[in-house]
Amino acid sequence: MKRPLLLLITCALSGSLHAQLHNNPGSNHGNKFEQLGTVLSDPNSYRSASGAPGPAYWQQRADYVINAELDEKNLRLTGSETITYYNNSPDPLRYLWVQLDENQHKSTSDNKLTEQSRMTDQMTYKTLSGIVNEPNDLGVNILKVTNGSGSALPYVINNTMMRIDLPVVLKAGEKYVLNISWNYKISNRMTAGGRGGYEYFAEDDNYLFTMAQWFPRMAVYSDYQGWQNKQFEGRGEFALVFGNYKVNMTVPADHIVGATGECQNYSQVLSPAYMKRWNAAQTAKAPVEIVNLAEVKAGLSKKSSAKKTWTYTAENVRDFAWVSSRRLVWDAMATYIDGKKIMSMSYYGPEAYPLYNRYSTKVVDHTLKVYSKHTIPYPYPVAISVEAANGMEYPMICFNYGRADKDGTYSEATKLGMIGVIIHEVGHNFFPMIVNSDERQWSWMDEGLNTFCQFLAEQEWDNNYPSGRGPAHKIVDYMKLPKDQLEPIMTNSENIIQFGPNAYAKPATALNILRETVMGRELFDYAFKEYSRRWAFKHPTPADFFRTMEDASAVDLDWFWRGWFFTTDPVDISLDNVSAYRMNSMKDAIEKGEAKKAYEHDERYIGRERNRAAGIKFAVEQDTSLLDFYNKFNRFEVSRTADQDFQSYYNSLTAEEKKLYESNKNFYELEFSNPGGLVMPIIVEWTFKDGSKEMDRIPAYIWRKNENKVTKVFAKDKEVVSVQLDPYRETADIDESNNAWPRQAKPSRFELFKQKEAVRGSSTGNNRMQESRRQ
């Protein structure tokens, strides 16, 4: 990889990335608000400084014609493909890189060696089999690689990548046709893991095939890194090339197939009854069952030995996936976005029917509408949700979970989890299937942006939906972890310890904070839509996102990207002190009265009180000659000219000064510190003596001159009785105990129980014998 080498050189010169992020090490300022110019890649003719594609932007294209046959009996897939590869780059290419993700399942795959393992008291079969790692016959068998004329091409397979060496250089602007034939044994997805494979249902002796990452796919060649040929290790998903697909899938004749794109031969593969229902679904406002549950159950034991070929086409997509089984209920309805019809559909087995029949397609419909509102109008003709006991996404089709119990009931957690995962996986159509970021390098650009939009869709589904990712306070437990358990969001996918919080929750939370607290909804929403519009069907980088969000909003966010994306600093803003002030009234009676209270308070202490109580005869009482003027005068006596003096002062004021004087403002000096290190806006809620409240929002830029401590004075019309920072928990502050004045004790709970004194030598613990007799 070319571009990261520059980063490594920079790190070597500066000592570390930490040094890069600090322009003024050792100082209390000049670091967190400096621009990211030394960290981000330089703009050029391909990627502009505004964050938009540059005038010379280019990207490759790959078109596919694929023929595949599913052998259900032997659990094998056989395929052949013709790839037309367009070199739109300015570079001559001597070889092409192709991804072979199925090789991840091979016992000799690198990821089997690099994954850590340990022993516990309870070991599952899946865990133990992974440790034993006996030789298997999984992985892709490449049968033939030829050019368009049928001449053999040399190739080298390196784990999950295959290099195809070209006989002549593929020049800029040229295209190349190659053919690949292959087969592989389909893995049991439930035991071997991975994205695609089969699930076996012993109760009816049938399979559910979810065919994903199933064919040799062109790797990305881009302007910013050359070939993206990082190995597939299972977590960092993929970066792929856009193109057009025609796929012929030959399967058992009684299977139903759902796939990326649109089926071109429903009239040949569907029965007249199914075809009639499909046509009815075209204008339906609620899901229509094209294949119903009774029909599925009736066909489970009647396995056809015949074959059918389903033909699907898809335009301008970066991948292709499909599902095939005789266990599938299929429903569909029409969704309209900006006047365009999209078919929202779901495929699911009998065990998922109680949930999916009621919710799935309607959730698909809802997701498309909400995401389209916040990004770009959904451009594809189809969106599919498949229940497959997992969660994974591909263009126009995704695999989700959500099964009921045997009696048809389900828990609230299952229902909410199902709705959330459908929103999330359908939402991936936008990120990264359309806005095509590199998941293998930067998972957050895929998962984080999508999780943020998922949060918006969940909240628009139900205002009481308990979203687990998005609200600021729900990332606190992660951000307060020890530093050795954290890494910045800007970390390669394979190097992240806690993947969910880092790649999904933290970036989603950051974007929610940007929208609600830093930028405001209007500015954020416009900039986010602009990023989506600019980079739809293109390959954006983090720098393109950062720059676009600033360019379209006129908000300098470099400080925010630094803190949230490049460091592991948490938010912890402390309210250290509150001092109250009143303007001097210049009225002698009022000021002397206040001075008297302060004097008496200052002169009152325990020794003086006890001396008086003890009846001590003080010297000035025993010898009155010791008393002089200062023992007798009233130091707080109001001057005889007090009224005249005040009137003279008041007459000297300008009209503006008189207005300020008469306002009777209360002044409060607040002292803040930043023990967490992550600079953020300061949100202050005031509670007044009359019970009313008021909010002040101070932009994060207040920390520019001192990133550790700041002081701010506020003028209030009413007397303040308490101050609270961040009352709605919108900044992800990890320590709320230092957010209030006066300090507030945090209540906890305990249980009152009666201690039982056991007779010495009596049986303690669980009495299994007694329990067995109760059964």
Side-chain angles (χ1 to χ4, degrees):
M1 296 173 64
K2 288 74 179 175
R3 180 67 66 179
L5 180 60
L6 298 177
L7 178 61
L8 292 175
I9 294 173
T10 304
C11 290
L13 292 174
S14 62
S16 67
L17 182 59
H18 184 270
Q20 282 188 30
L21 292 172
H22 291 80
N23 291 20
N24 194 13
S27 175
N28 66 356
H29 67 283
N31 292 308
K32 299 181 186 299
F33 288 91
E34 293 305 313
Q35 298 299 291
L36 283 174
T38 59
V39 178
L40 300 183
S41 58
D42 293 335
N44 50 50
S45 61
Y46 307 128
R47 296 167 189 276
S48 73
S50 69
Y57 177 83
W58 56 266
Q59 65 186 40
Q60 310 292 63
R61 173 182 160 190
D63 293 342
Y64 296 80
V65 177
I66 307 175
N67 296 294
E69 182 165 352
L70 174 63
D71 183 346
E72 183 176 34
K73 181 178 180 180
N74 296 302
L75 298 174
R76 181 166 292 276
L77 184 78
T78 301
S80 64
E81 65 185 4
T82 297
I83 306 174
T84 304
Y85 185 74
Y86 297 83
N87 183 13
N88 297 323
S89 80
D91 306 326
L93 301 177
R94 294 182 56 246
Y95 47 80
L96 306 177
W97 280 103
V98 175
Q99 300 185 34
L100 303 177
D101 289 1
E102 269 297 317
N103 280 352
Q104 179 210 8
H105 294 302
K106 297 176 70 171
S107 57
T108 56
S109 178
D110 286 353
N111 69 294
K112 305 289 186 185
L113 302 175
T114 57
E115 282 295 320
Q116 296 188 51
S117 55
R118 64 178 60 193
M119 297 298 296
T120 61
D121 292 339
Q122 295 180 319
M123 303 290 288
T124 65
Y125 169 79
K126 183 176 180 180
T127 302
L128 285 175
S129 61
I131 293 172
V132 174
N133 194 28
E134 292 184 350
N136 60 38
D137 56 353
L138 300 178
V140 180
N141 302 308
I142 298 295
L143 305 177
K144 184 169 57 174
V145 179
T146 67
N147 63 16
S149 302
S151 299
L153 293 175
Y155 60 89
V156 174
I157 296 177
N158 175 17
N159 201 19
T160 62
M161 300 298 301
M162 178 170 70
R163 189 189 73 232
I164 300 175
D165 297 327
L166 303 179
V168 294
V169 170
L170 179 60
K171 297 178 182 178
E174 293 183 342
K175 66 180 180 180
Y176 196 83
V177 177
L178 61 148
N179 304 299
I180 306 175
S181 298
W182 80 98
N183 64 39
Y184 66 84
K185 180 181 177 181
I186 303 171
S187 62
N188 184 335
R189 179 171 48 81
M190 309 306 287
T191 57
R195 309 295 183 178
Y198 70 81
E199 180 180 359
Y200 177 64
F201 294 84
E203 62 268 27
D204 52 57
D205 187 32
N206 276 290
Y207 295 90
L208 172 68
F209 295 95
T210 51
M211 308 310 296
Q213 295 166 238
W214 56 282
F215 62 99
R217 304 175 297 169
M218 293 301 305
V220 168
Y221 184 80
S222 67
D223 61 279
Y224 65 92
Q225 67 178 351
W227 284 108
Q228 166 52 293
N229 52 13
K230 292 177 67 66
Q231 298 289 340
F232 178 54
E233 297 185 17
R235 174 179 285 174
E237 290 170 358
F238 35 71
L240 294 168
V241 186
F242 284 105
N244 300 327
Y245 285 74
K246 180 179 180 180
V247 184
N248 303 304
M249 294 151 285
T250 301
V251 302
D254 53 354
H255 275 212
I256 292 293
V257 172
T260 296
E262 295 180 288
C263 184
Q264 301 301 303
N265 64 337
Y266 275 151
S267 59
Q268 285 78 48
V269 295
L270 295 182
S271 69
Y274 293 169
M275 197 66 196
K276 182 178 180 180
R277 297 170 195 167
W278 167 250
N279 290 330
Q282 303 301 304
T283 56
K285 296 182 180 179
V288 172
E289 287 187 32
I290 299 159
V291 180
N292 63 42
L293 181 61
E295 291 163 336
V296 168
K297 289 182 175 180
L300 289 178
S301 59
K302 304 173 184 178
K303 298 180 182 179
S304 174
S305 59
K307 298 278 187 178
K308 280 185 180 179
T309 298
W310 298 62
T311 299
Y312 275 76
T313 61
E315 294 183 358
N316 207 16
V317 294
R318 53 169 259 174
D319 201 2
F320 190 100
W322 49 293
V323 61
S324 181
S325 180
R326 64 179 57 83
R327 304 185 80 259
L328 293 175
V329 176
W330 170 23
D331 69 40
M333 65 178 284
T335 295
Y336 289 91
I337 295 175
D338 287 358
K340 177 186 174 182
K341 183 179 74 173
I342 297 105
M343 290 307 296
S344 297
M345 302 193 285
S346 297
Y347 298 81
Y348 44 94
E351 57 284 327
Y353 187 89
L355 279 160
Y356 268 64
N357 185 259
R358 182 169 188 168
Y359 291 109
S360 180
T361 298
K362 291 183 178 180
V363 176
V364 174
D365 173 88
H366 171 78
T367 303
L368 296 180
K369 291 174 179 176
V370 175
Y371 274 66
S372 295
K373 179 174 66 174
H374 290 288
T375 60
I376 62 169
Y378 185 71
Y380 292 132
V382 172
I384 296 171
S385 165
V386 180
E387 198 292 313
N390 71 349
M392 191 58 203
E393 73 282 353
Y394 300 91
M396 297 185 238
I397 187 170
C398 60
F399 305 108
N400 310 305
Y401 64 79
R403 297 177 180 177
D405 293 335
K406 294 292 186 181
D407 62 359
T409 63
Y410 49 82
S411 68
E412 182 182 34
T414 300
K415 169 193 167 183
L416 294 173
M418 175 208 65
I419 292 171
V421 75
I422 294 175
I423 291 174
H424 183 89
E425 305 304 345
V426 172
H428 270 307
N429 277 291
F430 295 83
F431 305 101
M433 299 303 157
I434 296 169
V435 181
N436 189 15
S437 54
D438 180 356
E439 303 166 81
R440 198 155 292 177
Q441 182 65 39
W442 308 115
S443 287
W444 71 266
M445 290 194 74
D446 156 33
E447 301 296 356
L449 270 62
N450 184 47
T451 301
F452 164 69
C453 291
Q454 173 191 348
F455 170 67
L456 299 180
E458 287 173 347
Q459 294 306 301
E460 291 193 40
W461 174 266
D462 183 348
N463 188 236
N464 295 315
Y465 190 94
S467 297
R469 291 167 172 166
H473 68 280
K474 295 194 176 184
I475 197 63
V476 164
D477 287 343
Y478 172 69
M479 294 185 70
K480 67 169 59 171
L481 288 175
K483 294 286 187 179
D484 63 358
Q485 298 180 42
L486 299 172
E487 57 280 311
I489 292 174
M490 288 290 291
T491 298
N492 178 265
S493 302
E494 308 299 341
N495 302 333
I496 298 170
I497 296 176
Q498 300 198 50
F499 194 65
N502 179 280
Y504 292 69
K506 187 178 178 183
T509 302
L511 295 181
N512 189 40
I513 290 173
L514 272 184
R515 184 173 189 255
E516 300 288 4
T517 303
V518 175
M519 299 173 70
R521 291 189 175 189
E522 182 178 2
L523 288 175
F524 178 92
D525 289 351
Y526 181 87
F528 194 72
K529 285 172 71 72
E530 179 64 10
Y531 168 73
S532 304
R533 185 193 65 79
R534 284 179 174 182
W535 290 99
F537 304 104
K538 296 182 177 68
H539 304 295
T541 67
D544 300 319
F545 176 69
F546 297 152
R547 286 169 169 151
T548 295
M549 292 300 293
E550 297 189 28
D551 181 73
S553 66
V555 179
D556 181 2
L557 296 171
D558 280 25
W559 64 271
F560 190 87
W561 311 130
R562 278 179 179 272
W564 276 90
F565 287 77
F566 288 89
T567 78
T568 58
D569 290 342
V571 179
D572 182 11
I573 297 174
S574 173
L575 176 58
D576 296 332
N577 189 50
V578 177
S579 300
Y581 296 88
R582 290 291 300 273
M583 188 184 301
N584 192 314
S585 68
M586 300 303 290
K587 294 181 178 179
D588 205 35
I590 294 175
E591 299 306 319
K592 291 285 179 62
E594 293 295 324
K596 182 179 181 181
K597 292 178 184 177
Y599 178 84
E600 291 174 347
H601 177 74
D602 190 56
E603 293 300 315
R604 185 181 180 188
Y605 46 88
I606 188 64
R608 175 173 288 179
E609 296 299 316
R610 287 176 176 172
N611 285 344
R612 287 174 180 167
I616 292 177
K617 295 295 184 179
F618 303 103
V620 295
E621 293 176 338
Q622 296 182 53
D623 183 358
T624 57
S625 67
L626 298 175
L627 300 174
D628 68 356
F629 170 80
Y630 292 105
N631 294 99
K632 300 176 182 178
F633 92 110
N634 180 1
R635 66 184 68 243
F636 303 109
E637 183 180 3
V638 177
S639 168
R640 290 191 298 273
T641 62
D643 292 341
Q644 182 180 348
D645 293 341
F646 171 76
Q647 197 60 48
S648 176
Y649 161 76
Y650 185 79
N651 292 338
S652 70
L653 300 177
T654 65
E656 291 80 8
E657 290 171 336
K658 287 178 180 177
K659 183 178 179 180
L660 178 60
Y661 171 84
E662 291 169 355
S663 68
N664 294 317
K665 296 283 187 183
N666 299 275
F667 294 88
Y668 297 91
E669 181 185 83
L670 274 58
E671 298 176 20
F672 307 95
S673 63
N674 183 18
L678 189 54
V679 292
M680 286 291 285
I682 300 175
I683 305 168
V684 183
E685 181 185 67
W686 308 86
T687 300
F688 299 106
K689 196 171 184 177
D690 63 3
S692 62
K693 294 179 182 291
E694 184 177 286
M695 192 90 75
D696 279 310
R697 294 177 174 270
I698 309 161
Y701 304 110
I702 192 174
W703 300 98
R704 281 179 297 186
K705 300 297 178 63
N706 189 327
E707 297 158 0
N708 303 321
K709 291 181 178 294
V710 295
T711 302
K712 183 75 173 175
V713 178
F714 300 83
K716 298 297 174 185
D717 293 326
K718 294 182 284 189
E719 185 177 347
V720 172
V721 294
S722 66
V723 182
Q724 177 72 44
L725 299 188
D726 194 12
Y728 293 105
R729 299 187 294 174
E730 55 188 288
T731 66
D733 196 311
I734 66 169
D735 183 5
E736 296 182 70
S737 68
N738 57 20
N739 286 8
W741 175 86
R743 287 285 188 256
Q744 298 175 359
K746 186 176 180 180
S748 186
R749 300 175 70 86
F750 65 91
E751 179 182 353
L752 177 65
F753 72 102
K754 185 174 182 179
Q755 183 173 353
K756 296 180 179 179
E757 295 290 341
V759 178
R760 186 174 183 180
S762 64
S763 175
T764 59
N766 293 334
N767 187 331
R768 297 297 178 85
M769 182 182 294
Q770 187 180 71
E771 292 173 1
S772 66
R773 291 177 178 175
R774 292 174 181 168
Q775 295 177 353

